[in-house]
Amino acid sequence: MSFTRRAALASAALLMAAQPVLAATPAKPAPAAAKKAAPASDFTPSAEAIKAHMTFLADDAMEGREAGTRGYDIAANYVAAQYALLGVKPAGDKLTTGVSYQQHVPLIAFRPASDGAVSVTGADGQAVALKYGEDYLPGAQAQAADVNVDAPLVFAGFGVVDPSRGRDDYAGLDVKGKVVVILTGAPTSIQTEERAHFSNPNTKRVEAAKRGAVGVLIIPTTSSEKRRPFARGLAGMKEWRVIWRNAQDVGAIRAPSAPSLATISLAGAEKLFAGSATPLASVLEQAEKPEGAVKGFALPGKVKISLKTEIEKRESSNVVGVIEGSDPTLKAQTIILSAHLDHIGIKDNAKPGEDRINNGALDNASGIATLLEVARGFKNSKMRPKRSIILLAVTGEEKGLVGSDYFANNPTVPKANIAADVNLDMPVLLYPFTDVIAFGADRSTVGEAVKHAGARVGVALSGDPLPEEGLFTRSDHYRFVEQGIPSVFLMTGFQNGGEKAFTTFLKTNYHHPGDDLNQPIDYNAAAKFALVNYEIARELANQPARPVWKKGDFFGGTFAPAGHPSAAK
């Protein structure tokens, strides 16, 4: 179907949205909730309105909505126009002509410009060159087109530093002026979401930089190599990485003094460990144990690394609107509803005649459509929320949560007044879901709002069915968590056919041109998902006390210490 035809259908459906044709039918309340009837919602979401938004945003004309492209900019203008149509006030950049819906997000794109060169000189003074694609894959460097490092090597286990567990993988090691070799991931004994935090390369590099390291090399464990073989990384070497840049055009690189220089294969790691008192095999065996108590030690050799990177500036934007609260005091506080607008663009290696456009219907046109429909609910409600609602459509999620990171570090509202984030990312709307998974809800008092919302809509709350994936750290809400802000991210659950729908989608259409409007999308389920999120946001906006982290929670203690507005009371 052509863009013109689809756009016409979208516009017609939006006009019909004021009188919903297909409304969400709340599921029957669970027996436990029936003991005490929950107050009915004042909002009936429109399945047709959500379908209309998705029809526009997932059209081929958006060219996959990749951050920094024309297709993304068209989609951003569409979201801004919908804000204006709803009467939502702009809350983006302050311009001479007034406040804009757009928050400009300046970007730096970078990728390896060559294979690079890596060699190891052992204790015997003999240099051994590592082979590109077999022993190492170079790390792209956003801070400089040419990077050259010549330094001793130190092995630091998993590189985990966790005072709450009494663990410091750097204990007794001198890494100043040296390149640190670190195992990927973290010990399996660490709680899954916390393990995901420690597994993040940024977390590892920050700890290395604190101790004066000049670079980091990542090596696999035996199990990680089985899950994701080193050779698979070759296909992505020419892909652009993206970060945001500040007003001085400096990239927002975490721990720039200890860059990620290369990923090393198991074969390459053997060369790094050649001649060491502890063989690599022993290290790998110990790493597979739950505690992963791998001791660090100085390696006998030095490494010489030369890298070249292609760097260019790009531009994109977040789209920000505000629904002002009604309470004279509480309206200064904000509840953010976030969803990423970008997707992964056009497939480079498509065969002749093959579909090349990654439309991103469920990832994440569905989330943006939900955001717009929830906004309509607040604007049409007879009672305005007491706290203000920020509507935040972000860029660059697919590039590493870039747009949300930019907003979290450069908010257009006072950061101390951001009370919570409710994130909308890739609801799999292919079946009539009866339960949801609320990532992060049990870590703060946001969980109470989620429980109450679920009871009102008649949706059950389920535990994390994929704990090994660490999903709590992998979407835009996590950038707010890193600022100490309690956050929640809802996923449609695995009951009532959900597991099959979810796993099939991941296998066949996730990050693939098949994620388009030809899928059997259940728009009534979409309306129901909007209702759940509306009820969560409404509860958070109206409750007397702002959300706080639960006492003793790892993320609350790490990012919201005593004195932070959201610290545990």
Side-chain angles (χ1 to χ4, degrees):
M1 189 180 292
S2 70
F3 164 71
T4 303
R5 174 65 175 153
R6 280 188 173 174
L9 288 174
S11 298
L14 281 170
L15 291 173
M16 294 167 63
Q19 298 294 328
V21 177
L22 294 175
T25 302
K28 294 180 180 179
K35 294 179 181 179
K36 184 178 180 181
S41 178
D42 66 344
F43 175 46
T44 302
S46 166
E48 283 295 319
I50 294 173
K51 181 178 181 180
H53 294 311
M54 290 181 64
T55 298
F56 186 95
L57 294 169
D59 190 272
D60 283 355
M62 302 303 109
E63 299 176 337
R65 305 190 310 276
E66 185 172 6
T69 68
R70 174 179 174 274
Y72 177 87
D73 292 343
I74 294 172
N77 286 335
Y78 175 84
V79 173
Q82 296 306 311
Y83 287 176
L85 186 64
L86 288 169
V88 171
K89 291 185 177 180
D93 292 332
K94 293 181 179 179
L95 309 175
T96 54
T97 54
V99 180
S100 171
Y101 284 113
Q102 312 272 359
Q103 180 192 36
H104 176 227
V105 181
L107 304 174
I108 290 177
F110 56 104
R111 63 182 178 181
S114 71
D115 295 348
V118 180
S119 63
V120 180
T121 301
D124 58 2
Q126 297 296 312
V128 176
L130 274 62
K131 297 179 180 179
Y132 170 82
E134 295 181 19
D135 295 328
Y136 77 93
L137 293 173
Q141 307 298 309
Q143 73 274 31
D146 291 279
V147 170
N148 296 282
V149 175
D150 188 352
L153 289 165
V154 177
F155 173 62
F158 282 101
V160 170
V161 178
D162 182 11
S164 69
R165 292 180 171 85
R167 178 166 184 143
D168 182 357
D169 286 359
Y170 286 92
L173 298 179
D174 176 14
V175 302
K176 188 173 183 180
K178 300 171 185 177
V179 172
V180 177
V181 180
I182 304 176
L183 290 162
T184 191
T188 57
S189 61
I190 299 176
Q191 192 273 342
T192 54
E193 293 172 343
E194 297 166 23
R195 183 165 75 242
H197 166 77
F198 288 117
S199 298
N200 190 305
N202 284 332
T203 304
K204 294 176 182 286
R205 292 193 303 101
V206 166
E207 295 298 342
K210 286 179 182 178
R211 292 155 178 81
V214 297
V216 171
L217 299 175
I218 300 293
I219 65 173
T221 61
T222 304
S223 56
S224 71
E225 175 62 20
K226 290 179 180 178
R227 287 194 306 271
R228 181 176 173 81
F230 170 83
R232 194 184 298 175
L234 271 169
M237 289 310 297
K238 298 302 181 182
E239 293 180 0
W240 290 97
R241 288 76 160 164
V242 173
I243 58 173
W244 59 269
R245 52 189 165 90
N246 62 19
Q248 290 73 45
D249 280 343
V250 176
I253 306 165
R254 302 193 189 190
S257 61
S260 181
L261 299 171
T263 301
I264 308 296
S265 69
L266 287 175
E270 287 284 4
K271 297 176 181 179
L272 299 184
F273 280 73
S276 67
T278 303
L280 177 63
S282 297
V283 167
L284 296 175
E285 181 182 3
Q286 192 66 32
E288 294 302 316
K289 297 179 180 179
E291 294 300 325
V294 184
K295 297 293 184 182
F297 50 86
L299 291 167
K302 293 180 63 178
V303 68
K304 188 173 184 179
I305 301 175
S306 178
L307 303 173
K308 292 186 179 296
T309 303
E310 182 180 359
I311 303 172
E312 65 181 41
K313 295 179 184 178
R314 295 182 183 178
E315 312 297 330
S316 193
S317 64
N318 296 326
V319 191
V320 195
V322 61
I323 299 170
E324 290 187 344
S326 61
D327 187 272
T329 301
L330 293 181
K331 71 177 182 179
Q333 296 178 16
T334 54
I335 305 299
I336 292 179
L337 286 172
S338 60
H340 74 90
L341 178 58
D342 68 307
H343 194 53
I344 61 174
I346 297 175
K347 187 178 179 181
D348 290 330
N349 58 349
K351 298 176 182 178
E354 186 180 33
D355 188 0
R356 300 174 60 235
I357 298 177
N358 296 289
N359 302 90
L362 294 180
D363 185 16
N364 185 40
S366 61
I368 292 292
T370 302
L371 174 77
L372 293 172
E373 185 62 359
V374 170
R376 187 177 72 84
F378 277 111
K379 288 299 296 183
N380 290 350
S381 176
K382 294 180 181 179
M383 295 189 65
R384 283 166 50 204
K386 293 182 179 180
R387 290 181 176 83
S388 297
I389 304 292
I390 290 287
L391 307 171
L392 177 62
V394 297
T395 186
E397 188 271 352
E398 302 289 2
K399 303 296 185 182
L401 318 184
V402 177
S404 53
D405 192 52
Y406 186 82
F407 186 90
N409 282 277
N410 305 276
T412 58
V413 295
K415 186 184 297 185
N417 288 346
I418 300 175
D421 174 64
V422 179
N423 190 44
L424 308 164
D425 187 3
M426 204 179 81
V428 177
L429 304 171
L430 302 173
Y431 63 104
F433 71 92
T434 57
D435 68 317
V436 294
I437 297 101
F439 296 100
D442 59 344
R443 294 187 172 276
S444 72
T445 55
V446 168
E448 292 303 308
V450 174
K451 289 179 183 177
H452 296 160
R456 281 194 289 270
V457 180
V459 171
L461 301 180
S462 298
D464 185 355
L466 301 167
E468 69 282 358
E469 295 294 331
L471 293 175
F472 177 63
T473 67
R474 289 173 52 184
S475 191
D476 289 305
H477 64 284
Y478 192 64
R479 293 304 186 222
F480 294 97
V481 171
E482 291 178 320
Q483 299 296 324
I485 298 165
S487 304
V488 66
F489 159 46
L490 256 64
M491 184 176 93
T492 46
F494 273 23
Q495 296 178 17
N496 201 39
E499 181 175 7
K500 181 179 179 181
F502 185 85
T503 54
T504 301
F505 172 77
L506 288 186
K507 183 179 180 180
T508 60
N509 291 335
Y510 173 68
H511 281 196
H512 183 275
D515 182 13
D516 61 15
L517 295 172
N518 292 317
Q519 299 172 99
I521 297 171
D522 185 337
Y523 292 102
N524 282 319
K528 185 176 179 180
F529 188 73
L531 183 60
V532 176
N533 283 280
Y534 169 79
E535 288 298 322
I536 292 171
R538 182 174 73 146
E539 179 102 11
L540 292 172
N542 291 333
Q543 65 187 19
R546 67 181 287 166
V548 295
W549 295 94
K550 289 185 178 179
K551 191 173 183 179
D553 180 75
F554 171 81
F555 292 99
T558 300
F559 299 116
H564 190 281
S566 297
K569 298 296 189 283

